[in-house]
PDB file of all heavy atoms in Angstrom:
ATOM      1  N   CYS B 159       3.569  -0.996  -3.532  1.00 98.00           N
ATOM      2  CA  CYS B 159       4.422  -2.156  -3.777  1.00 98.00           C
ATOM      3  C   CYS B 159       5.079  -2.036  -5.143  1.00 98.00           C
ATOM      4  O   CYS B 159       4.813  -1.094  -5.896  1.00 98.00           O
ATOM      5  CB  CYS B 159       3.609  -3.455  -3.694  1.00 98.00           C
ATOM      6  SG  CYS B 159       2.250  -3.569  -4.851  1.00 98.00           S
ATOM      7  N   GLY B 160       5.946  -2.983  -5.449  1.00 98.00           N
ATOM      8  CA  GLY B 160       6.779  -2.902  -6.628  1.00 98.00           C
ATOM      9  C   GLY B 160       6.018  -2.986  -7.940  1.00 98.00           C
ATOM     10  O   GLY B 160       5.041  -3.738  -8.071  1.00 98.00           O
ATOM     11  N   SER B 161       6.502  -2.237  -8.922  1.00 96.00           N
ATOM     12  CA  SER B 161       5.991  -2.386 -10.280  1.00 96.00           C
ATOM     13  C   SER B 161       6.741  -3.522 -10.978  1.00 96.00           C
ATOM     14  O   SER B 161       6.509  -3.791 -12.148  1.00 96.00           O
ATOM     15  CB  SER B 161       6.150  -1.083 -11.058  1.00 96.00           C
ATOM     16  OG  SER B 161       7.508  -0.692 -11.091  1.00 96.00           O
ATOM     17  N   ARG B 162       7.635  -4.162 -10.229  1.00 97.00           N
ATOM     18  CA  ARG B 162       8.291  -5.393 -10.688  1.00 97.00           C
ATOM     19  C   ARG B 162       7.906  -6.499  -9.709  1.00 97.00           C
ATOM     20  O   ARG B 162       7.560  -6.218  -8.568  1.00 97.00           O
ATOM     21  CB  ARG B 162       9.817  -5.239 -10.657  1.00 97.00           C
ATOM     22  CG  ARG B 162      10.321  -4.065 -11.457  1.00 97.00           C
ATOM     23  CD  ARG B 162      11.827  -3.992 -11.344  1.00 97.00           C
ATOM     24  NE  ARG B 162      12.330  -2.739 -11.914  1.00 97.00           N
ATOM     25  CZ  ARG B 162      13.561  -2.581 -12.383  1.00 97.00           C
ATOM     26  NH1 ARG B 162      14.428  -3.590 -12.343  1.00 97.00           N
ATOM     27  NH2 ARG B 162      13.926  -1.434 -12.865  1.00 97.00           N
ATOM     28  N   GLY B 190      -1.737   2.074  -7.183  1.00 97.00           N
ATOM     29  CA  GLY B 190      -1.261   2.872  -8.298  1.00 97.00           C
ATOM     30  C   GLY B 190      -1.862   2.598  -9.665  1.00 97.00           C
ATOM     31  O   GLY B 190      -1.527   3.278 -10.633  1.00 97.00           O
ATOM     32  N   MET B 197       2.100  -4.887  -8.135  1.00 98.00           N
ATOM     33  CA  MET B 197       0.902  -4.051  -8.167  1.00 98.00           C
ATOM     34  C   MET B 197      -0.240  -4.802  -8.859  1.00 98.00           C
ATOM     35  O   MET B 197      -1.374  -4.814  -8.373  1.00 98.00           O
ATOM     36  CB  MET B 197       1.193  -2.737  -8.917  1.00 98.00           C
ATOM     37  CG  MET B 197       2.222  -1.866  -8.208  1.00 98.00           C
ATOM     38  SD  MET B 197       2.764  -0.469  -9.215  1.00 98.00           S
ATOM     39  CE  MET B 197       1.257   0.494  -9.321  1.00 98.00           C
ATOM     40  N   PRO B 216      -0.828   8.105 -13.200  1.00 97.00           N
ATOM     41  CA  PRO B 216      -0.536   9.267 -14.063  1.00 97.00           C
ATOM     42  C   PRO B 216      -0.612   8.859 -15.535  1.00 97.00           C
ATOM     43  O   PRO B 216      -0.246   7.738 -15.910  1.00 97.00           O
ATOM     44  CB  PRO B 216       0.911   9.640 -13.675  1.00 97.00           C
ATOM     45  CG  PRO B 216       1.160   8.980 -12.358  1.00 97.00           C
ATOM     46  CD  PRO B 216       0.317   7.737 -12.381  1.00 97.00           C
ATOM     47  N   LEU B 219       2.167   7.084 -17.296  1.00 95.00           N
ATOM     48  CA  LEU B 219       2.496   5.712 -16.910  1.00 95.00           C
ATOM     49  C   LEU B 219       1.467   4.688 -17.380  1.00 95.00           C
ATOM     50  O   LEU B 219       1.606   3.498 -17.126  1.00 95.00           O
ATOM     51  CB  LEU B 219       2.648   5.618 -15.390  1.00 95.00           C
ATOM     52  CG  LEU B 219       3.799   6.407 -14.776  1.00 95.00           C
ATOM     53  CD1 LEU B 219       3.820   6.232 -13.258  1.00 95.00           C
ATOM     54  CD2 LEU B 219       5.137   5.979 -15.369  1.00 95.00           C
ATOM     55  N   GLU B 223       3.148   1.126 -17.078  1.00 92.00           N
ATOM     56  CA  GLU B 223       2.745   0.290 -15.940  1.00 92.00           C
ATOM     57  C   GLU B 223       1.480  -0.510 -16.233  1.00 92.00           C
ATOM     58  O   GLU B 223       0.908  -1.126 -15.335  1.00 92.00           O
ATOM     59  CB  GLU B 223       2.588   1.163 -14.670  1.00 92.00           C
ATOM     60  CG  GLU B 223       3.932   1.736 -14.243  1.00 92.00           C
ATOM     61  CD  GLU B 223       3.905   2.438 -12.888  1.00 92.00           C
ATOM     62  OE1 GLU B 223       2.832   2.545 -12.266  1.00 92.00           O
ATOM     63  OE2 GLU B 223       4.978   2.889 -12.457  1.00 92.00           O
ATOM     64  N   MET B 238       2.139  13.033 -10.836  1.00 95.00           N
ATOM     65  CA  MET B 238       2.414  12.116  -9.747  1.00 95.00           C
ATOM     66  C   MET B 238       1.890  12.682  -8.425  1.00 95.00           C
ATOM     67  O   MET B 238       1.389  11.946  -7.574  1.00 95.00           O
ATOM     68  CB  MET B 238       3.930  11.883  -9.657  1.00 95.00           C
ATOM     69  CG  MET B 238       4.346  10.779  -8.729  1.00 95.00           C
ATOM     70  SD  MET B 238       3.672   9.172  -9.198  1.00 95.00           S
ATOM     71  CE  MET B 238       4.915   8.567 -10.331  1.00 95.00           C
ATOM     72  N   ARG B 241      -1.676  11.861  -8.190  1.00 96.00           N
ATOM     73  CA  ARG B 241      -1.851  10.446  -7.859  1.00 96.00           C
ATOM     74  C   ARG B 241      -1.706  10.222  -6.368  1.00 96.00           C
ATOM     75  O   ARG B 241      -2.551   9.598  -5.722  1.00 96.00           O
ATOM     76  CB  ARG B 241      -0.799   9.616  -8.601  1.00 96.00           C
ATOM     77  CG  ARG B 241      -0.841   8.155  -8.238  1.00 96.00           C
ATOM     78  CD  ARG B 241       0.458   7.450  -8.579  1.00 96.00           C
ATOM     79  NE  ARG B 241       0.279   6.308  -9.459  1.00 96.00           N
ATOM     80  CZ  ARG B 241       1.270   5.536  -9.859  1.00 96.00           C
ATOM     81  NH1 ARG B 241       2.504   5.782  -9.497  1.00 96.00           N
ATOM     82  NH2 ARG B 241       1.043   4.523 -10.656  1.00 96.00           N
ATOM     83  N   LYS B 242      -0.632  10.740  -5.820  1.00 94.00           N
ATOM     84  CA  LYS B 242      -0.364  10.496  -4.397  1.00 94.00           C
ATOM     85  C   LYS B 242      -1.426  11.143  -3.508  1.00 94.00           C
ATOM     86  O   LYS B 242      -1.830  10.563  -2.513  1.00 94.00           O
ATOM     87  CB  LYS B 242       1.032  11.009  -4.046  1.00 94.00           C
ATOM     88  CG  LYS B 242       2.128  10.143  -4.664  1.00 94.00           C
ATOM     89  CD  LYS B 242       3.476  10.437  -4.092  1.00 94.00           C
ATOM     90  CE  LYS B 242       3.994  11.744  -4.576  1.00 94.00           C
ATOM     91  NZ  LYS B 242       5.404  11.963  -4.199  1.00 94.00           N
ATOM     92  N   PRO B 256       7.126  -5.173  -0.308  1.00 98.00           N
ATOM     93  CA  PRO B 256       8.401  -4.996  -1.016  1.00 98.00           C
ATOM     94  C   PRO B 256       8.221  -4.266  -2.348  1.00 98.00           C
ATOM     95  O   PRO B 256       7.201  -4.419  -3.020  1.00 98.00           O
ATOM     96  CB  PRO B 256       8.871  -6.447  -1.222  1.00 98.00           C
ATOM     97  CG  PRO B 256       8.318  -7.156  -0.030  1.00 98.00           C
ATOM     98  CD  PRO B 256       6.943  -6.563   0.159  1.00 98.00           C
ATOM     99  N   GLY B 257       9.198  -3.471  -2.660  1.00 98.00           N
ATOM    100  CA  GLY B 257       9.154  -2.715  -3.903  1.00 98.00           C
ATOM    101  C   GLY B 257      10.462  -1.976  -4.114  1.00 98.00           C
ATOM    102  O   GLY B 257      11.440  -2.213  -3.388  1.00 98.00           O
ATOM    103  N   GLY B 258      10.456  -1.080  -5.059  1.00 98.00           N
ATOM    104  CA  GLY B 258      11.667  -0.334  -5.398  1.00 98.00           C
ATOM    105  C   GLY B 258      11.543   1.136  -5.013  1.00 98.00           C
ATOM    106  O   GLY B 258      10.811   1.490  -4.071  1.00 98.00           O
ATOM    107  N   ILE B 259      12.189   1.967  -5.773  1.00 98.00           N
ATOM    108  CA  ILE B 259      12.322   3.368  -5.396  1.00 98.00           C
ATOM    109  C   ILE B 259      10.972   4.073  -5.293  1.00 98.00           C
ATOM    110  O   ILE B 259      10.773   4.928  -4.412  1.00 98.00           O
ATOM    111  CB  ILE B 259      13.280   4.078  -6.389  1.00 98.00           C
ATOM    112  CG1 ILE B 259      13.609   5.489  -5.918  1.00 98.00           C
ATOM    113  CG2 ILE B 259      12.724   4.090  -7.803  1.00 98.00           C
ATOM    114  CD1 ILE B 259      14.751   6.108  -6.714  1.00 98.00           C
ATOM    115  N   GLY B 260      10.026   3.708  -6.150  1.00 97.00           N
ATOM    116  CA  GLY B 260       8.702   4.321  -6.078  1.00 97.00           C
ATOM    117  C   GLY B 260       7.990   3.957  -4.780  1.00 97.00           C
ATOM    118  O   GLY B 260       7.344   4.789  -4.137  1.00 97.00           O
ATOM    119  N   THR B 261       8.115   2.679  -4.400  1.00 98.00           N
ATOM    120  CA  THR B 261       7.514   2.220  -3.142  1.00 98.00           C
ATOM    121  C   THR B 261       8.141   2.920  -1.961  1.00 98.00           C
ATOM    122  O   THR B 261       7.463   3.346  -1.030  1.00 98.00           O
ATOM    123  CB  THR B 261       7.686   0.685  -3.028  1.00 98.00           C
ATOM    124  OG1 THR B 261       7.124   0.078  -4.190  1.00 98.00           O
ATOM    125  CG2 THR B 261       7.015   0.155  -1.783  1.00 98.00           C
ATOM    126  N   PHE B 262       9.480   3.036  -1.992  1.00 98.00           N
ATOM    127  CA  PHE B 262      10.175   3.702  -0.880  1.00 98.00           C
ATOM    128  C   PHE B 262       9.646   5.138  -0.738  1.00 98.00           C
ATOM    129  O   PHE B 262       9.350   5.603   0.355  1.00 98.00           O
ATOM    130  CB  PHE B 262      11.697   3.794  -1.104  1.00 98.00           C
ATOM    131  CG  PHE B 262      12.388   2.509  -1.413  1.00 98.00           C
ATOM    132  CD1 PHE B 262      13.573   2.506  -2.148  1.00 98.00           C
ATOM    133  CD2 PHE B 262      11.886   1.278  -0.986  1.00 98.00           C
ATOM    134  CE1 PHE B 262      14.227   1.325  -2.442  1.00 98.00           C
ATOM    135  CE2 PHE B 262      12.532   0.096  -1.277  1.00 98.00           C
ATOM    136  CZ  PHE B 262      13.710   0.116  -2.019  1.00 98.00           C
ATOM    137  N   GLU B 263       9.594   5.797  -1.872  1.00 97.00           N
ATOM    138  CA  GLU B 263       9.188   7.194  -1.853  1.00 97.00           C
ATOM    139  C   GLU B 263       7.777   7.357  -1.287  1.00 97.00           C
ATOM    140  O   GLU B 263       7.521   8.231  -0.451  1.00 97.00           O
ATOM    141  CB  GLU B 263       9.264   7.757  -3.278  1.00 97.00           C
ATOM    142  CG  GLU B 263       9.448   9.251  -3.373  1.00 97.00           C
ATOM    143  CD  GLU B 263       8.146   9.998  -3.323  1.00 97.00           C
ATOM    144  OE1 GLU B 263       7.080   9.377  -3.467  1.00 97.00           O
ATOM    145  OE2 GLU B 263       8.198  11.219  -3.121  1.00 97.00           O
ATOM    146  N   GLU B 264       6.884   6.505  -1.711  1.00 96.00           N
ATOM    147  CA  GLU B 264       5.503   6.587  -1.245  1.00 96.00           C
ATOM    148  C   GLU B 264       5.421   6.299   0.244  1.00 96.00           C
ATOM    149  O   GLU B 264       4.733   6.992   1.002  1.00 96.00           O
ATOM    150  CB  GLU B 264       4.639   5.593  -2.028  1.00 96.00           C
ATOM    151  CG  GLU B 264       4.471   5.983  -3.486  1.00 96.00           C
ATOM    152  CD  GLU B 264       3.892   4.874  -4.363  1.00 96.00           C
ATOM    153  OE1 GLU B 264       4.263   3.684  -4.153  1.00 96.00           O
ATOM    154  OE2 GLU B 264       3.061   5.168  -5.229  1.00 96.00           O
ATOM    155  N   GLU B 267       7.056   9.210   2.240  1.00 97.00           N
ATOM    156  CA  GLU B 267       6.247  10.414   2.227  1.00 97.00           C
ATOM    157  C   GLU B 267       5.013  10.276   3.113  1.00 97.00           C
ATOM    158  O   GLU B 267       4.664  11.204   3.875  1.00 97.00           O
ATOM    159  CB  GLU B 267       5.796  10.789   0.803  1.00 97.00           C
ATOM    160  CG  GLU B 267       5.034  12.097   0.819  1.00 97.00           C
ATOM    161  CD  GLU B 267       4.719  12.581  -0.582  1.00 97.00           C
ATOM    162  OE1 GLU B 267       3.801  12.035  -1.190  1.00 97.00           O
ATOM    163  OE2 GLU B 267       5.415  13.497  -1.046  1.00 97.00           O
TER     164      GLU B 267
HETATM  165  P1  AMP F 465       8.623   0.766  -7.784  1.00 64.15           P
HETATM  166  O1  AMP F 465       8.583   0.448  -6.327  1.00 64.15           O
HETATM  167  O2  AMP F 465       9.791   1.635  -8.138  1.00 64.15           O
HETATM  168  O3  AMP F 465       8.506  -0.417  -8.660  1.00 64.15           O
HETATM  169  O4  AMP F 465       7.361   1.684  -8.063  1.00 64.15           O
HETATM  170  C1  AMP F 465       6.134   1.361  -7.501  1.00 64.15           C
HETATM  171  C2  AMP F 465       5.141   2.400  -7.881  1.00 64.15           C
HETATM  172  O5  AMP F 465       5.562   3.654  -7.340  1.00 64.15           O
HETATM  173  C3  AMP F 465       4.965   2.616  -9.375  1.00 64.15           C
HETATM  174  O6  AMP F 465       3.579   2.727  -9.643  1.00 64.15           O
HETATM  175  C4  AMP F 465       5.621   3.944  -9.620  1.00 64.15           C
HETATM  176  O7  AMP F 465       5.014   4.669 -10.663  1.00 64.15           O
HETATM  177  C5  AMP F 465       5.359   4.641  -8.325  1.00 64.15           C
HETATM  178  N1  AMP F 465       6.219   5.792  -8.125  1.00 64.15           N
HETATM  179  C6  AMP F 465       7.428   6.067  -8.640  1.00 64.15           C
HETATM  180  N2  AMP F 465       7.883   7.244  -8.216  1.00 64.15           N
HETATM  181  C7  AMP F 465       6.920   7.739  -7.434  1.00 64.15           C
HETATM  182  C8  AMP F 465       6.749   8.913  -6.703  1.00 64.15           C
HETATM  183  N3  AMP F 465       7.683   9.878  -6.693  1.00 64.15           N
HETATM  184  N4  AMP F 465       5.625   9.064  -6.002  1.00 64.15           N
HETATM  185  C9  AMP F 465       4.677   8.123  -6.002  1.00 64.15           C
HETATM  186  N5  AMP F 465       4.778   6.998  -6.669  1.00 64.15           N
HETATM  187  C10 AMP F 465       5.875   6.794  -7.368  1.00 64.15           C
END
Side-chain angles (χ1 to χ4, degrees):
C159 59
S161 58
R162 304 179 190 204
M197 296 171 66
L219 296 179
E223 294 189 357
M238 190 60 88
R241 176 200 236 181
K242 290 192 287 189
I259 189 168
T261 304
F262 307 154
E263 204 274 346
E264 291 167 320
E267 183 173 77

